[in-house]
Each structure stands twice: as C-alpha cells, then as structure tokens.
C-alpha cells in the first residue's frame, strides 16, 4: 500500500494519548489533529495497547515520544531498548520520533525520571554520539526535547540553548521546544524565559510541548516548580507560547497531561486554546 | 565533576549526602532541589507498583504498601525502561520480606497480578474452531498436541489465590475457601480473566505448556486427581479462546 502520510506533523494541536480517551477521540477529535504516544507503553507483543495504536494511526498522524532511552547516560545506550524502538518505529511508521536531553539509566538501573546533565564539551560529545546511533538505528531524524531542571551543575560552561543548537548542528537532529519546561527551568534557575526562547534555534523546532506543573519552594523560600503534567497550562506559559508563535509561526503543538488525567472535553479544550492562539487574528 | 553513579546512589539512598557540585541558582547547595529528583524516582516507581499490584495493596493497606514498595524499588530498581512489566521480581521479594510474612499467600497473589499484566500485553492469537477437537479421529486424539494462546498464564498455589483475588476485586464475592488453587489466566479479547481450574487442571495445563501431547497431559492430571474431568477442562479452554492450534502426533 502506498504510504501517503506526510513526514511532518501538522502545525496544529495534538494531545498525549491516554487509553481512557480512545472512544471519545475516535468519535470526535475536536480541534486535535494528531496524537503523541510514549514509546515505552507500546513495546508489548499485542493486546489492547497495540490494537488501539493501530486504529489511531489509521486516522491520525502519530508522534512517538520516547521517555526511557537515557540519551545523556554516561554508559552505552541499552541495545535491547534500541532494538525495541527500531521495531516500534518500523511497524508503526510514525510521523515523528522524539526523545529527551536527559539520562535515566545507570548500569542496569532504570530510574524512571528525566535526570539533568552538565552542559560541557564532554556531554556534547557523548549526547551527539548517542543521537547519531539512535538516528542510524531507527533510520530517521529525531527531535530532542529541552528538559525541566531543578538544579544546576557547577561544571556547566555553556547555556542550554547553545548546547541544544550545537547538538542539532552536529547530529542533524531537530528540536522539541517544551515551553512548560522553559518556564519551569527559568523559574527554578532564576533566568529569563523570554530570553531563552529568543536564543533558541527556532529553525530546528519540529514540535512544541505545553503542559502543567506544580509549585513548591526550595530550602531558602525561592519558588521551585515541578514538571508534573498534572494540571492545565498556566497563563505565563500561554504567554510564552504566544511569544514563540510570533517569532516562529505556527508549529505542531502538544498538550501534555499525564497525571490526574481529566475527562476528554477538558483536554480537548486545552488543545482548542492552543489552536486559537496559533490562528492569526488578522488573517 | 558529578558522575552519574554517584548521582544514582544518592537518588536511591535517602540518607546519602547530595553530591557536591550540584547547586541552586545562587550557587548554594542543591538541598531540596535534589530531593525533587529523589521524590520523582520513588513516587513514580511506587505508582507503577500500585497500578500493577492493586490487590496486594488492598491486602496490606496503603501505608504498608508504600513503605514496602520503597524497600523494593531501592533494592530492585527496574532493569528496563519498559515499566509495563516492572515488578517481575516483586513476588520473590515478598517471599523474603519479613514484615509481610504473616500473609503467607501474598507472593502468590502478586504472581497472579503479574500474570494478568503479562497476559494483557501478550501477543494476539486466533482460537481454533469449537469443533476442531471433535473432528480429530479418536485414535489420534491422545497423541495430538494442543497449542495454547500466548496470553495464557497458569498460577499454581498452595493457597486459595483465586478466591482471595476475587474477594478483593468483586463486590459481594464469597469468602475464599481454604485449600490450594490452580488459576488459569485467559484473554478471550483484550481483557485478561482469571479462572479457577478444577482438580488436576493445573497439572494438565502445565503439561500442555511444556508441549507434551494430550495423552501425557491427561496422565499428569490423573496423577494429581484420579477423577480428572478432561472434557470440563477442554471446555474451559475452548470457551475462552485459549487453544490456537491442534497438531498431530508427528508434528512439532
């Protein structure tokens, strides 16, 4: 069968797919034009998860978002996991594949969190080599996502935006700009999120993420935001989105909601808000 | 320079010091900021275990489960990013977990819950026609091999593990009867279902799982139960899409 699917996501809203929304999405996706799934949830041999994914892929462009490869790990990439990613990308042929600038595995321990990296030449070399290996394995360009961070490394000697731009230059990968992560990190690191966006290599951005976060305080009473994906997108992040659109034009934009997942209409309404912002009012 | 091994060790050991070289925006030690990562690891893995072992959790209570999960995840972190199967070693861990020793059946309940999860993600298969066995010539039947669905799982327990599972998942379920139970997990569509097997059924299915021909499986069942009712067990398998092929004596 001729595959006529486009090779980029539409510059419209998508949402992170949750199985409890399957029937609602198939009945009426509303403003949602594409779906993102976490790769690691679709690595079984069969059953409902793969059946739902096959059905969704017949109607929607799919973005496969890996959350467990540990691209920033000091050790080699997990060969078994690479093989599973290759298999998934092979049979599904998704429109996009993305992963994180983070590490999550040490030796054989998978820690199930996106852990931070120092921004140094040594980290650049290692991350670039892992991305080369991944892109060769799955036979396509990937998007690399900027992280939420809660602390800094004294050894870091370059800004995150320079680090990401250099990774994209060395590997040819694209970037996934998570604006909630920008806001969370900028608040936590006491830097300016708008300056971050203005420094971001926007030409490489193939996808934008929006999501919710929690608020805490650090030991000294400074705000400490936690990337929870468990709430609505806050107004300052919508403002960053509007600023980004002004700079970059419409981009495929995902609403992420992974914990305390709401009923479908709430999620669809968030996607609708993103759609409204990316439609020029003077058009 | 902060190495990831040092970072990992401090993540998994709440009493360990935060690695030096990690700071807040003002250059002060990371403190609570590091605790965010520590908390993310413990909470997300505890959540995975809660999702995977709801009946174990109900049996021990929420607070006990959280504490027990904390001990388990630090001594048995996942060995793969595929968290859908995290907890394979939880039943064996429970065998040796002192504070839960009074609940002697707990490891087998965990085995049943793990089997349900494995079944959920197992390969799809098409069942044989309901009359496929009847179509075999009688003299060929005992030499035939019955091939089981990939989503089939068998739990053989000294305890009434099905009764315990049902009493904790279904409203108004009867109290579990005493005595051992063999439980078959079947998946006729996409939802795994545990079924108690009649006496001898566990030995029978175990033999089929080992690829033994029907006659040998019947003999294994009769060793466990002289009155083994073959047709009753075959009916259970046929009714739940558990048989995917029948091959003759000479076929592998």
């Amino acid at each position: 069968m001729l595959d006529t699917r486009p090779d980029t996501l539409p510059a419209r809203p998508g949402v992170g797919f949750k199985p409890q929304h399957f029937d609602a999405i198939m009945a009426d996706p509303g403003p949602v034009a594409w779906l993102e799934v976490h790769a690691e949830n679709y690595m079984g041999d069969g059953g409902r998860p793969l059946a739902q994914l096959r059905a969704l892929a017949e109607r929607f462009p799919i973005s496969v978002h890996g959350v467990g490869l540990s691209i920033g790990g000091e050790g080699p990439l997990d060969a078994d996991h690479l093989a599973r990613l290759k298999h998934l990308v092979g049979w599904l042929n998704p429109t996009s594949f993305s992963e994180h600038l983070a590490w999550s595995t040490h030796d054989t321990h998978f820690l199930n969190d996106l852990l931070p990296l120092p921004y140094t030449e040594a980290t650049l070399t290692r991350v670039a080599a892992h991305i080369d290996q991944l892109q060769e394995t799955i036979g396509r360009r990937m998007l690399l996502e900027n992280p939420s961070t809660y602390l800094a490394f004294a050894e870091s000697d370059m800004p995150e935006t320079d680090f990401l731009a250099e990774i994209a230059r060395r590997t040819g990968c694209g970037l996934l700009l998570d604006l909630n992560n920008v806001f969370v990190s900028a608040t936590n690191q006491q830097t300016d999120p708008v300056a971050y966006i203005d420094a971001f290599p926007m030409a490489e951005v193939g996808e934008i993420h929006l999501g919710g976060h929690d608020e805490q305080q650090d030991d000294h009473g400074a705000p400490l935001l936690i990337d929870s994906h468990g709430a609505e997108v806050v107004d300052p992040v919508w403002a960053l989105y509007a600023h980004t659109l002004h700079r970059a034009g419409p981009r495929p934009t995902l609403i992420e909601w992974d914990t305390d997942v709401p009923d479908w209409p709430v999620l669809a309404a968030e996607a609708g808000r993103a759609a409204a912002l990316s439609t020029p009012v003077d058009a | 320079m902060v190495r990831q091994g040092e970072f990992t060790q401090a993540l998994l050991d709440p009493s360990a010091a935060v690695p030096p070289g990690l700071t807040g925006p003002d250059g002060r030690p990371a403190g609570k900021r590091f605790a965010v990562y520590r908390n993310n690891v413990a909470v997300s893995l505890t959540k995975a275990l809660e999702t995977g072992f709801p009946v174990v959790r109900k049996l021990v209570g929420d607070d006990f489960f959280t504490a027990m999960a904390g001990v388990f995840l630090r001594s048995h972190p996942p060995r793969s990013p595929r968290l859908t199967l995290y907890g394979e070693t939880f039943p064996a861990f429970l065998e040796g977990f002192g504070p839960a020793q009074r609940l002697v059946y707990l490891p087998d309940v965990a085995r049943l819950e793990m089997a349900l999860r494995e079944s959920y993600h197992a390969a799809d298969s098409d069942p044989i026609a309901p009359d496929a066995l009847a179509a075999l010539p009688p003299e060929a039947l005992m030499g035939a091999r019955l091939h089981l669905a990939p989503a089939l799982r068998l739990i053989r327990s000294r305890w009434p593990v099905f009764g315990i599972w049902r009493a904790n998942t279904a409203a108004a379920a009867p109290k579990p009867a005493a005595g051992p139970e063999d439980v078959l997990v079947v998946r006729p569509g996409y939802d795994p279902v545990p079924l108690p097997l009649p006496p001898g059924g566990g030995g029978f299915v175990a033999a089929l799982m080992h690829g033994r021909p029907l006659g040998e499986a019947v003999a294994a069942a009769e060793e466990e139960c002289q009155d083994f009712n073959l047709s009753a067990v075959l009916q259970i398998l046929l009714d739940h899409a558990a048989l995917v092929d029948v091959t003759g004596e000479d076929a592998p």
Side-chain angles (χ1 to χ4, degrees):
Chain A
M1 192 177 77
L2 185 65
D3 194 335
T4 54
R5 278 175 288 185
D7 61 359
T8 56
L9 296 168
R12 292 163 57 199
V15 295
F17 170 67
K18 299 295 164 199
Q20 59 266 43
H21 296 151
F22 179 80
D23 291 340
I25 291 171
M26 293 302 265
D28 178 13
V32 173
W34 56 279
L35 299 165
E36 187 154 284
V37 297
H38 288 178
E40 284 71 12
N41 291 337
Y42 298 88
M43 291 180 165
D45 295 323
R48 178 176 289 116
L50 298 193
Q52 287 190 336
L53 183 53
R54 275 193 297 269
L56 293 170
E58 284 177 13
R59 285 197 39 196
F60 300 96
I62 302 289
S63 161
V64 171
H65 191 50
V67 296
L69 184 61
S70 197
I71 279 176
E74 280 172 11
L77 296 179
D78 178 339
D80 291 341
H81 200 59
L82 269 178
R84 288 190 288 262
L85 287 172
K86 179 178 178 168
H87 176 71
L88 174 60
V89 169
W91 75 256
L92 181 62
N93 190 19
T95 306
S96 177
F97 179 86
S98 51
E99 249 286 357
H100 297 84
L101 176 61
W103 62 283
S104 51
T105 294
H106 181 70
D107 289 339
T108 58
H109 292 349
F110 174 68
L111 298 158
N112 198 34
D113 195 24
L114 298 166
L115 299 164
L117 291 163
Y119 299 131
T120 63
E121 180 59 37
T123 309
L124 263 179
T125 304
R126 189 172 76 231
V127 168
H130 285 165
I131 289 176
D132 286 342
Q133 187 185 1
L134 173 65
Q135 292 187 141
E136 276 167 34
T137 302
I138 64 174
R140 62 166 69 202
R141 181 180 193 236
M142 66 161 283
L143 306 179
L144 185 69
E145 177 177 340
N146 60 299
S148 271
T149 57
Y150 309 110
L151 48 72
F153 288 77
E155 68 202 85
S156 284
D157 56 14
M158 68 182 88
E160 188 174 285
T161 44
D162 288 1
F163 186 95
L164 286 164
E166 182 60 14
I167 288 288
R169 193 192 65 77
R170 289 192 194 182
T171 67
C173 78
L175 299 174
L176 194 170
L177 175 57
D178 186 315
L179 292 171
N180 182 58
N181 290 353
V182 170
F183 184 70
V184 165
S185 294
T187 304
N188 293 344
Q189 309 286 357
Q190 297 175 13
T191 55
D192 177 4
V194 174
Y196 182 101
I197 290 167
D198 290 344
F200 206 84
M202 210 56 79
E204 310 301 336
V205 173
E207 181 181 341
I208 291 171
H209 274 185
L210 300 172
H213 57 257
D214 292 341
E215 287 185 41
Q216 297 183 12
Q217 290 187 336
D218 77 357
D219 303 288
H220 312 288
L224 182 56
L225 303 185
I226 315 291
D227 180 36
S228 62
H229 298 174
E232 289 174 324
V233 179
V234 298
D235 286 342
V237 172
W238 286 118
L240 292 179
Y241 183 53
H243 179 80
T244 304
L245 292 173
H246 181 71
R247 219 196 122 201
R251 299 287 161 113
T253 301
L254 183 86
I255 305 292
E256 286 188 298
W257 205 321
D258 294 324
T259 58
D260 298 327
V261 177
D263 289 342
W264 174 250
V266 176
L267 191 56
E270 286 281 271
R273 193 168 171 184
L277 276 172
S278 62
T279 307
V281 285
D282 54 351
Chain B
M1 191 169 82
V2 184
R3 302 303 303 249
Q4 289 176 359
E6 186 187 7
F7 201 110
T8 300
Q9 201 265 333
L11 278 178
L12 293 174
D13 178 1
S15 68
V18 175
L22 302 177
T23 70
D26 41 14
R28 286 192 278 197
K32 197 172 167 184
R33 293 163 176 276
F34 187 79
V36 174
Y37 294 106
R38 221 175 229 162
N39 191 56
N40 284 351
V41 172
V43 168
S44 69
L45 294 178
T46 298
K47 184 91 189 153
L49 294 167
E50 285 173 4
T51 305
F53 300 99
V55 174
V56 169
R57 186 178 179 216
K58 196 166 175 191
L59 288 167
V60 302
D62 292 357
D63 292 346
F64 190 100
F65 189 89
T66 302
M68 185 164 74
V71 175
F72 175 73
L73 67 91
R74 290 183 175 89
S75 55
H76 300 72
R79 298 179 65 84
S80 156
R82 194 160 49 150
L83 278 195
T84 46
L85 296 180
Y86 180 46
E88 314 95 299
T89 58
F90 194 52
F93 165 85
L94 292 175
E95 304 266 7
F97 186 64
Q101 290 302 293
R102 206 170 50 81
L103 301 179
V104 287
Y105 46 81
L106 203 59
D108 281 353
V109 173
R111 285 189 181 94
L112 175 55
E113 297 203 283
M114 194 68 217
L116 289 166
R117 193 146 46 108
E118 287 173 3
S119 177
Y120 184 74
H121 292 284
D124 304 331
S125 56
D126 294 321
I128 56 170
D131 60 355
L133 293 179
L136 280 180
E139 64 278 10
L141 192 59
M142 286 300 148
R145 284 187 166 79
L146 307 188
H147 299 263
L148 300 170
L152 211 71
R153 294 292 183 276
L154 175 66
I155 303 295
R156 310 203 66 188
S157 179
R158 294 161 58 203
W159 314 105
V161 65
F162 174 77
I164 294 167
W165 181 88
R166 185 175 53 177
N168 286 281
T169 51
K175 290 187 79 165
E181 271 180 346
D182 292 325
V183 190
L184 190 67
V185 173
V186 294
R187 201 189 84 194
Y190 290 133
D191 293 304
V193 181
L195 301 170
L197 285 170
F204 177 76
V205 173
L208 294 184
M209 284 180 156
H210 283 101
R212 313 253 298 274
L214 186 60
E216 288 182 31
V218 170
E222 285 174 343
E223 260 179 50
E224 293 177 9
C225 171
Q226 287 188 341
D227 305 324
F228 172 64
N229 185 339
L230 173 62
S231 60
V233 173
L234 286 178
Q235 200 60 51
I236 290 174
L237 295 174
L238 285 167
D239 286 349
H240 296 90
L243 299 177
V244 297
D245 199 8
V246 186
T247 52
E249 203 158 358
D250 302 326

